[in-house]
Amino acid sequence: MTDLATKPSAGTSIGWAFSDIKTVTWRNLIRTVRVPEAMFFSTLQPIMFVLLFRYVFSSIPVPGGSYVNYLMPGIFVQTLCFGAVSTSIGLAEDLQSGLLERFRALPMSRAAVLGGRTSADVVRNVFVIILMTGVGLLVGFRPQSNPLDYLLACLIILLFSYSLMWGFAIIGLKAPNAETAQLMSFPILFPLTFASSAFVNPATMPSWLRGFAENQPVSQAVDAARSLMVGGVYHNASAPWVSLAWSIGLLIVFVPLAVRSYRNA
Amino acid sequence: MSSEIAVTASDLRVTFRKGEVKALDGFDLEVPTGQVIGLLGPNGAGKTTAVRVLSTILRPDTGSAQVLGHDVVKEAGRVRRLIGLAGQYATVDEQLTGMENLTMVGKLCHLKRSSVAPRAVELLEQFGLSDAGGRPVKTYSGGMRRRLDLAAALVARPPILFLDEPTTGLDPQSRLGLWDVIEALVKGGTTVLLTTQYLEEADRLAQSIVVIDKGHVIAKGTPAELKAELGATVLELTLASEEAAQQTAALLATLSTKTPHIDGVTVGLTVDEGPKIAAEALRRMDADGIDMLGLALHEPSLDDVFLALTGRKAEVDTEALVEGTTRKGRKAKEAS
């Protein structure tokens, strides 16, 4: 009983919170690579989207004239937004399997489950961005800006998808199972990503839709990415700041709600 | 054995669905240090809810509970360092290997970095999982999974262990194997609260049994005391018709201190001296010319305990069971 080896080692609670988030992140990433089919298809999907939109819609008139340059920042944001669904699915699965029950009875940080889930999903999103940049370059995407602005654009949309993940965490913790969590996510994601500036210029949309499409947060993230990645006619000095404000605002709303859902789940 | 109390619960109340379902309704419990207490009851009696409250997962509506003197609500963090939880609802990760599961729990219990892996290896060995340690848990059999689950609860060597229906859904052989493991554990001095639907399991593992129904305790005592109160044996007679069953029950009522139980064409009687009473029953029925289709003597089961204590059958809720078919199979075996 007094075995030194199994006595908890000393540490601060903040230190433990980081260590626990790291452990849960590691566990979630292992799970991802353990299911090669899921890995394959979640890699294939963004590639397929790039190819489909690039060639099927290439004749859509857009400002600047090059549809691929218009499309790529949009498809980055769209794919990252859809990636946030995995946050809700992952949490719903853990809740369903009973693993969260075990976690709650452990002396680990209360932040670890949500922090670990969202961190793992951010890691996956970084991988997706790198992959899609590669595919985009192959099909004619030509970012005009400098690498630093490109990186900045990536960070802005990663932060935006991160703020969405906390919203989807709430869905995952409220849904009765993983399938339902996924179904519940789509009615939110489709209007947000398609009634936006991601694929089509909102100026061409019916007027009742245009107001929404121009001002909603997905469009702000897309406009910010387009301004920083491609620049030129897409230059928009305010969009990066507006997108940043949206992300922070969403986090301020979603994080406490998600934490509360986790406590009550 | 120390007479100190390791776990206490007083007047716990928990309701679900806005008060419609009373999962715990004035639940009291005392678990002495170093003892194994069996919490016995049918599905839906409140066993899992009690364990969830005691292991800090669920806050009670009212009432209080302490683990080694620490309040499960106000000092939840402290309590979590003292307990291990294993059972039907708290599980391991399917995609991770046995080794990865145990190292993850070790890290989350904040063991010293250098002792996380050795402790995991030690536990895998102790539970006969050394060869399977490198395989994902989804390839494990039901029995192996439960053993890993138990191992995960023991990573930080907690002085108090909660085992929530540790063998529900297991085949008889795996069940016996797990009982051996739990018995060995208890010899090491761990205090255990074990919930179960099987009197046989509580009888074998627990020094004391608490019977729970509808969220509160309806009886407690040692297995021997409970059985003595109940009558040592159950005499079950199968008749040709319901009418004959009624007739037989009336005829044999004087043979037992408890009222005979009639269920269709069968009559159940709890008695002290089985064979002797059975012979007397045969004589009486022969004299009255009642034909019998079957006669059986068996040890009282949870159903019988329940019948004696509440006057109704224990309802087994198969919906809540993960491995329903195996369970049903055994239920049928038990009934035969």
Side-chain angles (χ1 to χ4, degrees):
Chain A
M1 280 305 128
T2 50
D3 192 337
L4 268 177
T6 47
K7 274 248 177 89
S9 44
T12 63
S13 59
I14 302 241
W16 283 129
F18 276 107
S19 151
D20 292 347
I21 289 173
K22 209 174 84 187
T23 303
V24 177
T25 305
W26 163 84
R27 171 253 168 184
N28 286 327
L29 289 173
I30 287 190
R31 280 178 67 86
T32 313
V33 294
R34 279 289 147 75
V35 190
E37 296 88 350
M39 271 287 276
F40 177 75
F41 285 102
S42 64
T43 309
L44 187 69
Q45 189 181 315
I47 297 176
M48 192 190 68
F49 271 133
V50 171
L51 297 179
L52 277 177
F53 280 95
R54 161 74 181 88
Y55 293 109
V56 174
F57 295 123
S58 59
S59 59
I60 290 179
V62 286
S66 159
Y67 186 66
V68 67
N69 279 352
Y70 184 87
L71 168 74
M72 285 310 296
I75 212 155
F76 278 135
V77 176
Q78 185 254 2
T79 307
L80 260 49
C81 288
F82 272 77
V85 180
S86 68
T87 308
S88 71
I89 294 175
L91 285 171
E93 275 176 355
D94 287 350
L95 198 61
Q96 216 177 341
S97 75
L99 200 77
L100 288 194
E101 290 276 294
R102 160 143 282 143
F103 282 163
R104 282 153 190 266
L106 289 179
M108 62 195 268
S109 161
R110 300 292 96 183
V113 169
L114 291 172
R117 177 76 256 164
T118 50
S119 301
D121 291 334
V122 168
V123 171
R124 207 214 37 231
N125 271 349
V126 169
F127 169 75
V128 166
I129 282 198
I130 294 169
L131 178 79
M132 291 180 81
T133 299
V135 177
L137 291 174
L138 285 177
V139 296
F141 175 44
R142 293 294 171 262
Q144 317 280 307
S145 66
N146 61 59
L148 196 69
D149 279 350
Y150 194 87
L151 193 68
L152 203 60
C154 292
L155 289 177
I156 285 175
I157 59 180
L158 278 172
L159 179 71
F160 176 63
S161 70
Y162 183 70
S163 72
L164 286 187
M165 284 171 198
W166 286 87
F168 284 97
I170 302 168
I171 294 175
L173 292 168
K174 299 265 187 218
N177 55 50
E179 292 76 21
T180 315
Q182 185 167 15
L183 286 173
M184 286 162 77
S185 304
F186 286 149
I188 302 166
L189 281 171
F190 273 101
L192 273 178
T193 52
F194 283 90
S196 77
S197 59
F199 305 108
V200 179
N201 183 2
T204 64
M205 294 178 189
S207 56
W208 58 269
L209 192 56
R210 197 189 304 159
F212 171 76
E214 279 173 347
N215 296 300
Q216 53 114 331
V218 171
S219 295
Q220 298 300 330
V222 171
D223 293 347
R226 211 170 262 148
S227 169
L228 288 166
M229 286 176 168
V230 188
V233 290
Y234 307 127
H235 179 74
N236 185 332
S238 66
W241 297 106
V242 177
S243 179
L244 213 58
W246 267 106
S247 300
I248 292 167
L250 289 174
L251 283 172
I252 289 173
V253 175
F254 287 153
V255 171
L257 286 175
V259 169
R260 216 179 66 176
S261 303
Y262 175 64
R263 284 215 185 107
N264 299 333
Chain B
M1 197 165 292
S2 164
S3 60
E4 267 176 71
I5 303 298
V7 180
T8 59
S10 55
D11 201 29
L12 288 178
R13 282 166 209 277
V14 173
T15 56
F16 293 124
R17 284 184 226 149
K18 295 181 177 138
E20 254 177 66
V21 182
K22 287 182 182 166
L24 287 182
D25 192 11
F27 177 77
D28 296 295
L29 182 73
E30 282 193 348
V31 183
T33 305
Q35 283 205 21
V36 183
I37 302 294
L39 190 57
L40 182 70
N43 238 306
K47 301 186 301 292
T48 296
T49 308
V51 168
R52 293 183 80 214
V53 169
L54 293 172
S55 56
T56 78
I57 294 171
L58 187 70
R59 278 166 174 256
D61 297 345
T62 60
S64 67
Q66 288 86 35
V67 172
L68 293 177
H70 299 287
D71 190 277
V72 296
V73 176
K74 289 178 208 127
E75 297 170 275
R78 199 67 215 275
V79 170
R80 290 183 193 118
R81 294 185 186 285
L82 301 168
I83 60 166
L85 169 67
Q88 54 173 352
Y89 297 112
T91 67
V92 285
D93 194 313
E94 294 258 301
Q95 303 292 348
L96 265 56
T97 66
M99 180 72 187
E100 283 165 348
N101 265 292
L102 296 182
T103 50
M104 173 177 75
V105 172
K107 285 179 193 167
L108 294 174
C109 284
H110 305 156
L111 299 193
K112 248 171 58 188
R113 196 175 288 263
S114 59
S115 59
V116 169
R119 178 66 180 143
V121 170
E122 184 184 9
L123 281 165
L124 287 173
E125 212 173 276
Q126 189 184 337
F127 287 88
L129 293 167
S130 291
D131 293 338
R135 289 201 331 246
V137 174
K138 62 182 172 194
T139 66
Y140 284 23
S141 70
M144 289 163 77
R145 201 174 297 215
R146 293 298 177 94
R147 293 208 298 274
L148 182 67
D149 193 35
L150 194 53
L154 294 171
V155 168
R157 298 182 201 267
I160 317 273
L161 202 56
F162 296 120
L163 303 179
D164 187 20
E165 304 203 15
T167 67
T168 295
L170 286 186
D171 59 274
Q173 202 190 336
S174 312
R175 201 169 161 203
L176 287 173
L178 206 65
W179 282 356
D180 288 339
V181 170
I182 296 171
E183 266 178 344
L185 210 71
V186 167
K187 284 198 187 110
T190 309
T191 305
V192 180
L193 178 66
L194 166 99
T195 78
T196 180
Q197 300 186 45
Y198 310 113
L199 184 61
E200 192 191 354
E201 184 163 282
D203 192 7
R204 160 116 185 232
L205 298 172
Q207 282 128 338
S208 188
I209 296 177
V210 173
V211 186
I212 173 175
D213 182 40
K214 293 185 173 169
H216 62 263
V217 174
I218 55 171
K220 54 185 163 187
T222 63
E225 281 167 358
L226 275 180
K227 279 192 194 166
E229 195 187 319
L230 190 68
T233 318
V234 177
L235 170 64
E236 211 171 74
L237 301 160
T238 309
L239 286 307
S241 67
E242 293 191 14
E243 202 181 319
Q246 304 277 354
Q247 219 179 326
T248 308
L251 181 68
L252 303 180
T254 53
L255 292 177
S256 169
T257 51
K258 299 244 160 51
T259 322
H261 175 75
I262 307 166
D263 186 8
V265 294
T266 63
V267 176
L269 218 58
T270 54
V271 295
D272 288 326
E273 293 171 287
K276 226 174 169 180
I277 301 285
E280 174 60 20
L282 286 176
R283 267 195 296 277
R284 288 193 189 183
M285 291 172 72
D286 196 35
D288 271 34
I290 304 172
D291 279 336
M292 180 173 43
L293 298 181
L295 179 149
L297 282 170
H298 61 82
E299 289 263 289
S301 65
L302 172 66
D303 280 343
D304 301 314
V305 173
F306 245 74
L307 211 53
L309 290 170
T310 67
R312 60 187 171 79
K313 284 242 175 209
E315 285 160 40
V316 177
D317 175 15
T318 42
E319 203 181 294
L321 297 167
V322 193
E323 293 146 49
T325 45
T326 338
R327 191 66 225 320
K328 260 184 213 154
R330 194 172 59 243
K331 186 89 196 5
K333 241 176 263 165
E334 275 175 349
S336 65

